[in-house]
Amino acid sequence: GGLKAQEESEQLLRAIVDARAALLGQSHMETLLALNALSARLAARGAQSEAETLLRRAMASSEDALGLAHPTTLTILNNLAVLLQRAQKMPEAEELLRRVVDGSVEALGHEHPDSLQSLDNLAALLKSTGKYQEAEAYYRRALQIRKQKSGVGHPDTLACMNNLALLLKLAGKYREAEPMIQQAAESAESALGSSHPLTLWLMDNLALLLQELGKHSLAEVRLRTALERREALLGPEHPDVLQSMDHLVAVLRAVNKHREADSLLQKALQVRQTTLGPLHAETLKCIGTRAALLAETKRHQEAVALVRQTLTSSEEGLGFSQTGAMHSLASLAAVLTDLGHRSEAENLYRRALEASEESYGPTHETTIKVLDDLADFLTQVGDPVSAEPLLRRVVDARGATLGKTHPDTLQSCLRLAAALVAAGNITMARSMYTQVAEFSSSTLGPAHPMTLTTLSGLASLLQKTGVHADAEPVLQRAFHCGQAALGTTHPATLKALEEIVSCLAAGGRYPEAEVLMRGVLSVREEFLGRSHVDTIASLNGLAKLLQQMGSYAEANLLFQRVLASLEAHLGPNHPDTLAAADALATSFRSMARLKEAEQLAQRALEGARSRLGPTHATTLRYLSSSALLLQAMGMHQDAEALIRSALDAREAFLGRDDPDTLESRRQLAMLLESEGRYDEAEPLLRRVLASREASLGKSHPEALACAGGLVVLLRGAGRFREAEEVGRQALANAEKLGPNHRCTIQALQNLALLSQAAGKHDEAEQFFRKALACSEVTFSRSHPVSLNILSGLAAELLISGKHLDAEPLLWEAVEGKEPTLGAGHPDTLQAVCDLAAHLMSTGRRAAVAPLLRRALESSENQLGPSHPVTLTILNNLAVMLQREQRLNEAEPLLRRAAEGGERMFGPTHPTTLRAFNNLAMLLLEMGKQKESEGILRRSLDKSSGTGRGAVEKSELAQSVTNLKALLSQAQSNQTKPEIVAPTDYPVSLLFADLSQFGCCMCTKRPGELVEKREGGLPRDISCDSGFALPSPIVTLRSDTPPSSFVVP
C-alpha cells in the first residue's frame, strides 16, 4: 500500500508541474516550487539522476526570472547542493552552498535563521571533505550570532555548539571539544529540562566523547542517567531508548562489566525481536553484538549456539531474502570466524549472497555489501586469490552506479589492492593504490581521510617490499597534508607521524625515529592523558623502537608500564592485555631474564587458548613465541613440538603459503639446523625462501633473511661453495636497499663467518670491517649490533694471530655490552669468555678465573644453573682449571657441563660430543683410563647410524682419534698414557663458544672449527636477532619477537 501511494504521489506531482508550466510558464515561482517538490520525491526513491536534472532546470529558470537572492532560488540551490553532496560531487556542491550563503546574507541579513542555517550546511560539507579549519570558522560565526540573538539556551544555539564540538573532536582539539559540549549539555538541562530530547541527545554525545578520551567512568555515569530519563519519558520499547542501551553496553564492555552488559543486551534484544521481528537488521546486529560479548567472556559454546539458532530461525521463517538484512548477518559470520568455525561462516556469507542476488539482483547495493563482506572474510582466512574476483565485481558495480571517483568506489579499490598484496600481486596493487590516491586527492582533497588512508596504504606496500626510500616521501606527503588541514595534534596527523617512525626505523634511521616517537607520545599524554588507549599505543610503539635500538632496559620498563595500564583499564584477560604480556615476555627474553619471560609467555598463551581457542591466529602466534623461549632455555624437544603444532594448525586453517604458515616452517627449519639436522631443515627453508622471493621480491628483508638462513645452513653442512654463491647473491640484493641498510650489514656478516669457516681469513677480516663500518653509520659504535660485529672481528684477528689488534676490541666489547645488556645477558657472557680465552692464551691466567667465576655467577642467577650458556661457562672454567692442573676442581664442572649438554641436545649433538671428549681427556689425565675409554666408546655408539653435519663429523672423528690413541697406549702397557689433543684438534683444551648455544632468543650449532690456533674463537651467528638487525633467518613480521644480536 505504501509503494502504491508513493507512485500515485509522484504521478500527481508530475501533473502539477505540467499544469503550472502550461498555465503560468516554466519560470513562474509556483512552477519552480512544484519542480522542487517533484525532485525531492524522485530523490527519495533513488532516482538521483532525474532529480538532479529537474533541479538544474529549476535553478537556471529561477536565477533568470527571480534572481540569485530570491528565497525560491536559494531553496533550489540548497536542495541541489544537498543532492550533489549525496552523490559525492563535493566541489560543485560546495560552490552552490557558498552561493546560498552569500545570497541569504544579501537578501535576509546575517542574523536571519535561513542565513544561519546556510552557514551550518556549508560548515557540514566542509567538515565532510576534511576542511576542518574553514568549517570551524563558519560554525563559530553562526554560533556567535545565535548566542547574541537567541541566547545560550536556545535549541538552535545548543545544536550549533554540539556540531562545533564534534568538529573540534575530529580536528583533535579535545581540550576545546569537551568543555564546549559539556556547556551545551548543562545549558540544555537548565533551559529545556533534564528530560528534553535535545538535552538527552547532548548528554549522549558528551558521554561518547568521554569514552573516546578514555574517561569510561564518567561516560558510564552520563549514559546511565540518559537511559533512565529516556526510559521514563518514552518507555522501554522506544528506538531512542534502545540506542541508549547500545551506547551503555559499549562502555560496560570497555570497563569489563560484561555481566551487566549482557543483561542489557538481552533486554534490548527481546524488545527488538518483539517490535521489529527476529530477522530485522537491528535485531541481527544486536544478536551479533551479544554473540561477540559471549565470545569475549569465554562462553564460546553459547556464542555459537546463539548464531546457529538465529540462522535456523531464518530458515524456518521468512528467510533472509525477505528481510533486507543480508549485510547485518556479517556480524554473525564474524563471530563464527573468530571462534574458528570458518567453514560455517563462509557458508553463511554465501547463502546471504545467493539470497540477495535472487531478491535484488547482482548490482544492487545490498548484494554489493554482501560481496564485500564475503571478500573480506576470504582475505582474512588467507584466501586472497578467491577474494580478488569478488572485489573486482564490487569495484565494477560501484563504479557503474556511483562513478569511479565516488568514495565508496575508491574504498572498494583499496580493499582490492589489499587483497592483491596478500595474493602477492605487488605491481598491480601498487598501481591501484597510486590511482586511488590521485582520484581521492583531486576529487575529495589532499587532506581528506580517504586520501590520507590511501597514501598510508601505498607507503605500507612500499615498506613491505623493502623500498623504504620510496615510502618515506609518500608518508611525508600524507603527514604534511594532514597537518595543514587538521593540525599537529589531530589523531590522523599523529598516526602519520608514527608511520614515518616505522619507515625510518625500517631504514635504520633510529635517532630520527626516536625523536619523532617521543614527540608523538608527549602530545598524546598532554592532550589525551596517560591512560588513553592511543597514549598506551604510543608508549608501546616507543618501547618497540627502543628494543630495536638495543635500549633493552628502558624498553622493558615501558613494556611494563603498558601492561600495568591495560590491566588496570581492561582487565587481566583482555586480548590487548594478553598481547602486552606477550610483548613483555619477549622483552624479558631479549634480556635473558628467562624465568620472568616464561611466566608471562605462559599467561598469554593460556589466556588466548581459553578465550579464543587453540587454533586461533593469536593463540598460534603466542605458541610460536613460547617455542622461541623454550629454545632460549635449551629445551629443544619441547620447542620442536610446539613449532610443529603451530605449523600443522596454520597449514590447516590458513593454508600452506600463508605468511604465518611460512614463518612456522622457517622457525622449524632453523631449529632443526641448530641441531645439525641439515637434511630435514634444508627443504623446509628453501621452500620458504622460494615463496617469499616470489611474493615479495628478492630484495625484501624477509626474503633476504631466509637467504641468510640458507647460508648458515649450508655453512654448517660444510657446503662452503654453495653457501658463498647464495651469500654473495644475497649481498647484491641487500645492497639495492642501501649500502648501510641493516640487511646489507647482515649479509656482510654472513659472508665474514662463511669465509672464516672456509679458512679465507683475509676475506673474513675485510667483510667484518666493512660490516662494522656500515653498522657505525646506521647505528653507532656502542650499539649492540656494532659491538657484536666488533666481537666477531676480534675473534677473526685472534684466529689470524693478530693478538695486539684483537685485545682492545675484546675489552671494548665487554665494557660496551655489560651496561647496555646486563652482566647476565648471553652476549655479555660471550664477550667475557672471549676475553678470558685471549688472556688465557697469552699467559695471563691469574686474570681469567675472576672473569669466568663472575660470568658463571651472572649466568646462573639470570639464566639458571641448567641453561646451555651456564653449562658452556662451566666448561670454560673447567678448561682453565685443567690447565692450572687443578684437576679435582675441574672434574665436577666438566661432568655437569657434559651431562647438561646431553639433557639439552641429546647424545649425538656436536655440543654433547665436544663436552664428553673434554671430560674423557680430563679423566685420562687424572689416571682414570677405564672411565675415559667408556665415555669415548659411548660417544661412538650413540653416534652410529645418525646423519651428521660437518661439525658433528669433526667431533666424532676426534672421539675416534682419542680412542685409538688411548687403546694403543694401553696395549703398550704405559702406566701413564701421554695423550694430548692432537694438533688438528682445537677443542679439548680450548674454550667452548657460547654462540654454540645461541643468544637468548634461540640456539645455533657451534661454528666450524677449522683453525688450530690457540686462542682462536671460531663462532657462529645466532638467529632471530633483534629488529635492529635481522639475522640470516629472522623475519621482520610484526609478530617476530626482538632479541639481542649475537655476532660470534
Side-chain angles (χ1 to χ4, degrees):
L3 180 60
K4 184 177 180 181
Q6 292 173 14
E7 291 175 349
E8 291 176 354
S9 173
E10 183 180 322
Q11 291 174 2
L12 181 59
L13 283 171
R14 289 185 186 276
I16 292 173
V17 169
D18 293 340
R20 287 182 176 174
L23 293 173
L24 305 174
Q26 294 284 354
S27 300
H28 194 278
M29 183 176 69
E30 295 298 329
T31 306
L32 297 174
L33 290 175
L35 275 172
N36 184 69
L38 176 58
S39 69
R41 172 61 62 191
L42 292 170
R45 73 169 176 85
Q48 302 287 331
S49 179
E50 186 179 358
E52 182 181 335
T53 300
L54 290 179
L55 279 177
R56 289 188 184 278
R57 193 176 97 192
M59 179 183 69
S61 299
S62 185
E63 284 181 329
D64 291 341
L66 306 176
L68 175 62
H70 193 279
T72 301
T73 305
L74 296 174
T75 299
I76 295 171
L77 280 173
N78 182 79
N79 291 347
L80 178 57
V82 171
L83 195 64
L84 293 172
Q85 189 174 352
R86 289 177 185 171
Q88 297 297 317
K89 299 178 180 180
M90 298 300 188
E92 188 178 359
E94 181 181 336
E95 179 189 354
L96 291 178
L97 285 178
R98 290 187 187 278
R99 289 171 61 187
V100 172
V101 169
D102 295 339
S104 298
V105 170
E106 179 184 342
L108 307 173
H110 289 282
E111 297 182 355
H112 192 278
D114 289 350
S115 299
L116 296 175
Q117 185 60 52
S118 68
L119 286 174
D120 288 342
N121 292 344
L122 178 57
L125 182 139
L126 292 170
K127 180 179 73 171
S128 69
T129 57
K131 299 178 180 179
Y132 297 132
Q133 292 181 351
E134 191 176 2
E136 181 182 344
Y138 281 113
Y139 274 135
R140 289 193 182 278
R141 176 175 155 188
L143 178 60
Q144 183 180 4
I145 295 172
R146 286 185 169 120
K147 281 183 176 180
Q148 293 172 351
K149 182 181 178 183
S150 307
V152 177
H154 191 277
D156 288 347
T157 307
L158 296 171
C160 191
M161 292 176 70
N162 175 78
N163 293 339
L164 177 57
L166 295 179
L167 172 67
L168 292 171
K169 185 194 76 169
L170 280 176
K173 299 180 179 180
Y174 298 103
R175 287 188 171 183
E176 297 178 62
E178 184 181 349
M180 177 161 289
I181 201 167
Q182 175 86 36
Q183 181 190 2
E186 293 172 354
S187 298
E189 188 167 2
S190 175
L192 305 175
S194 60
S195 297
H196 191 278
L198 182 56
T199 304
L200 298 175
W201 176 53
L202 289 166
M203 287 182 66
D204 271 355
N205 284 346
L206 174 59
L208 294 174
L209 176 61
L210 292 171
Q211 182 185 0
E212 189 169 339
L213 293 172
K215 301 178 180 180
H216 299 297
S217 298
L218 292 175
E220 182 183 345
V221 172
R222 295 279 180 180
L223 289 172
R224 286 186 187 280
T225 303
L227 176 59
E228 291 171 1
R229 293 175 181 175
R230 277 200 176 100
E231 199 163 8
L233 180 67
L234 303 172
E237 296 183 355
H238 193 278
D240 289 352
V241 175
L242 297 175
Q243 188 178 50
S244 284
M245 286 184 179
D246 292 341
H247 291 159
L248 181 55
V249 164
V251 172
L252 293 173
R253 289 173 69 182
V255 295
N256 285 323
K257 295 183 178 180
H258 295 113
R259 182 173 299 177
E260 185 180 0
D262 189 32
S263 177
L264 273 179
L265 271 175
Q266 291 186 63
K267 182 178 178 180
L269 179 57
Q270 184 177 3
V271 171
R272 284 178 169 128
Q273 287 174 330
T274 302
T275 59
L276 302 176
L279 299 178
H280 189 276
E282 289 297 320
T283 306
L284 292 174
K285 180 180 177 183
C286 190
I287 291 173
T289 303
R290 180 159 189 258
L293 176 63
L294 291 172
E296 282 179 17
T297 53
K298 308 176 188 177
R299 296 158 66 184
H300 296 158
Q301 292 182 350
E302 292 179 66
V304 174
L306 178 60
V307 174
R308 288 174 176 166
Q309 180 183 356
T310 303
L311 301 179
T312 302
S313 299
S314 72
E315 292 173 346
E316 295 173 352
L318 296 175
F320 299 145
S321 60
Q322 303 298 320
T323 66
M326 271 74 77
H327 182 56
S328 299
L329 293 172
S331 60
L332 302 180
V335 172
L336 292 173
T337 303
D338 289 341
L339 295 177
H341 300 274
R342 295 185 174 181
S343 297
E344 199 172 349
E346 182 175 354
N347 183 49
L348 175 55
Y349 281 122
R350 294 194 181 278
R351 284 167 51 201
L353 177 60
E354 182 180 349
S356 183
E357 288 178 329
E358 181 179 347
S359 300
Y360 300 104
T363 61
H364 191 276
E365 181 59 22
T366 300
T367 304
I368 297 306
K369 286 181 178 179
V370 178
L371 268 174
D372 233 354
D373 293 335
L374 175 57
D376 275 351
F377 164 80
L378 293 171
T379 302
Q380 179 185 346
V381 300
D383 189 9
V385 175
S386 298
E388 182 183 342
L390 301 182
L391 287 168
R392 290 192 183 279
R393 277 184 60 187
V394 173
V395 170
D396 292 343
R398 286 187 168 151
T401 56
L402 304 175
K404 292 184 177 180
T405 60
H406 190 282
D408 289 352
T409 307
L410 296 178
Q411 183 63 49
S412 298
C413 288
L414 291 181
R415 292 175 183 268
L416 176 56
L420 290 170
V421 172
N425 197 338
I426 303 300
T427 301
M428 187 173 292
R430 180 172 180 175
S431 175
M432 183 156 289
Y433 274 121
T434 303
Q435 185 178 19
V436 173
E438 292 173 356
F439 283 157
S440 181
S441 181
S442 60
T443 305
L444 305 175
H448 190 275
M450 174 70 71
T451 307
L452 300 180
T453 299
T454 306
L455 291 174
S456 175
L458 175 59
S460 176
L461 172 62
L462 293 172
Q463 290 188 77
K464 185 179 179 65
T465 55
V467 191
H468 303 291
D470 291 348
E472 186 183 351
V474 175
L475 290 172
Q476 292 286 358
R477 173 186 166 190
F479 167 69
H480 289 300
C481 289
Q483 184 183 43
L486 310 175
T488 305
T489 62
H490 189 273
T493 308
L494 295 176
K495 181 184 177 184
L497 266 179
E498 287 181 320
E499 290 172 341
I500 293 175
V501 167
S502 297
C503 185
L504 292 173
R509 295 160 62 183
Y510 292 104
E512 299 171 70
E514 182 184 358
V515 170
L516 289 181
M517 194 66 230
R518 290 189 185 277
V520 171
L521 176 61
S522 176
V523 170
R524 284 192 165 141
E525 284 182 334
E526 179 181 358
F527 286 91
L528 301 178
R530 292 168 65 92
S531 62
H532 190 274
V533 61
D534 288 347
T535 306
I536 296 173
S538 292
L539 189 68
N540 191 63
L542 177 59
K544 288 181 178 179
L545 178 63
L546 292 171
Q547 185 90 337
Q548 295 175 38
M549 297 173 65
S551 301
Y552 299 112
E554 185 181 0
N556 185 266
L557 292 175
L558 296 186
F559 279 127
Q560 292 187 54
R561 274 183 57 191
V562 170
L563 179 59
S565 297
L566 292 175
E567 284 177 331
H569 293 283
L570 301 178
N573 295 316
H574 190 277
D576 291 347
T577 308
L578 296 177
D582 182 66
L584 181 56
T586 298
S587 175
F588 278 125
R589 182 154 53 89
S590 72
M591 301 173 71
R593 294 165 62 176
L594 302 181
K595 293 179 181 178
E596 295 158 286
E598 184 179 13
Q599 294 175 355
L600 288 163
Q602 187 69 19
R603 170 185 166 184
L605 179 58
E606 292 304 320
R609 276 175 172 161
S610 63
R611 191 181 187 93
L612 304 172
T615 60
H616 192 276
T618 300
T619 306
L620 297 177
R621 186 168 70 249
Y622 297 161
L623 194 67
S624 295
S625 295
S626 296
L628 288 173
L629 178 59
L630 290 173
Q631 266 187 279
M633 299 170 70
M635 302 168 67
H636 284 213
Q637 291 183 348
D638 292 339
E640 182 178 345
L642 288 189
I643 295 172
R644 290 189 182 278
S645 175
L647 176 59
D648 291 343
R650 282 172 168 167
E651 283 188 338
F653 288 95
L654 302 177
R656 298 175 66 85
D657 294 319
D658 182 84
D660 287 346
T661 306
L662 293 175
E663 171 59 19
S664 284
R665 193 173 290 117
R666 182 206 66 80
Q667 192 177 351
L668 175 60
M670 297 321 298
L671 174 63
L672 296 172
E673 185 271 339
S674 73
E675 296 181 331
R677 295 157 66 182
Y678 304 116
D679 291 343
E680 297 175 67
E682 185 177 352
L684 292 172
L685 192 57
R686 285 191 182 276
R687 179 173 175 181
V688 177
L689 176 60
S691 179
R692 285 182 171 168
E693 286 185 340
S695 61
L696 303 174
K698 293 184 177 182
S699 292
H700 189 276
E702 291 187 17
L704 292 170
C706 278
L710 184 57
V711 173
V712 172
L713 187 150
L714 294 171
R715 174 163 58 88
R719 292 153 63 182
F720 298 139
R721 184 171 298 175
E722 293 176 69
E724 182 176 0
E725 182 179 346
V726 176
R728 290 190 180 276
Q729 183 60 55
L731 176 60
N733 292 329
E735 286 176 334
K736 295 177 183 178
L737 303 178
N740 298 315
H741 193 276
R742 53 186 177 168
C743 292
T744 305
I745 297 170
Q746 184 62 72
L748 287 168
Q749 285 180 278
N750 289 339
L751 286 171
L753 293 166
L754 176 62
S755 299
Q756 185 182 82
K760 301 177 180 179
H761 297 291
D762 289 340
E763 284 188 21
E765 181 179 345
Q766 291 174 11
F767 281 128
F768 274 126
R769 290 193 182 279
K770 187 172 181 180
L772 180 59
C774 295
S775 182
E776 288 178 356
V777 172
T778 301
F779 308 106
S780 68
R781 190 174 177 89
S782 61
H783 190 278
V785 170
S786 301
L787 292 173
N788 284 324
I789 299 172
L790 187 145
S791 293
L793 174 59
E796 176 55 41
L797 292 173
L798 287 175
I799 292 173
S800 301
K802 301 176 181 179
H803 299 278
L804 293 179
D805 293 337
E807 183 166 336
L809 300 183
L810 292 170
W811 281 107
E812 184 180 354
V814 172
E815 293 167 355
K817 290 179 180 180
E818 199 163 68
T820 303
L821 303 175
H825 192 282
D827 289 14
T828 307
L829 297 172
Q830 175 69 72
V832 171
C833 286
D834 289 352
L835 178 60
H838 171 65
L839 296 174
M840 189 85 168
S841 68
T842 53
R844 288 171 282 179
R845 298 180 179 180
V848 173
L851 278 176
L852 290 180
R853 291 192 186 281
R854 186 182 71 176
L856 180 61
E857 181 181 3
S858 298
S859 185
E860 287 180 325
N861 290 338
Q862 188 154 324
L863 304 178
S866 299
H867 192 278
V869 170
T870 304
L871 300 178
T872 304
I873 298 174
L874 279 170
N875 178 87
N876 293 349
L877 181 57
V879 168
M880 188 276 298
L881 294 172
Q882 185 178 359
R883 286 200 169 182
E884 293 290 315
Q885 291 301 305
R886 296 157 64 179
L887 305 184
N888 290 330
E889 294 178 61
E891 182 184 356
L893 300 181
L894 276 179
R895 286 188 185 278
R896 182 177 160 191
E899 291 166 0
E902 185 171 22
R903 284 195 305 272
M904 291 296 172
F905 301 107
T908 64
H909 191 275
T911 297
T912 307
L913 294 173
R914 176 186 295 118
F916 277 107
N917 265 324
N918 287 351
L919 177 59
M921 293 301 96
L922 174 66
L923 293 172
L924 188 61
E925 191 172 354
M926 296 175 70
K928 301 178 180 181
Q929 181 174 344
K930 186 174 182 180
E931 185 177 1
S932 175
E933 179 183 341
I935 289 174
L936 292 173
R937 288 188 182 279
R938 177 174 175 272
S939 294
L940 295 175
D941 292 340
K942 292 286 185 180
S943 300
S944 62
T946 62
R948 306 182 186 101
V951 182
E952 185 179 345
K953 290 177 181 177
S954 172
E955 302 297 341
L956 192 58
Q958 188 56 50
S959 293
V960 173
T961 301
N962 288 340
L963 181 59
K964 286 181 178 179
L966 187 151
L967 294 174
S968 174
Q969 292 182 16
Q971 290 173 358
S972 63
N973 295 320
Q974 293 185 13
T975 56
K976 183 178 179 182
E978 296 179 358
I979 303 282
V980 295
T983 57
D984 61 346
Y985 179 53
V987 175
S988 295
L989 298 179
L990 292 183
F991 283 7
D993 182 9
L994 292 191
S995 64
Q996 63 185 288
F997 299 114
C999 68
C1000 61
M1001 303 306 299
C1002 64
T1003 319
K1004 304 290 290 181
R1005 65 179 194 311
E1008 292 69 28
L1009 304 179
V1010 297
E1011 285 285 323
K1012 63 177 175 31
R1013 295 180 187 273
E1014 188 168 313
L1017 301 175
R1019 306 173 184 207
D1020 186 30
I1021 195 165
S1022 71
C1023 73
D1024 270 328
S1025 308
F1027 289 73
L1029 186 59
S1031 76
I1033 53 100
V1034 77
T1035 114
L1036 300 181
R1037 294 172 51 75
S1038 60
D1039 59 345
T1040 302
S1043 80
S1044 62
F1045 186 82
V1046 180
V1047 178

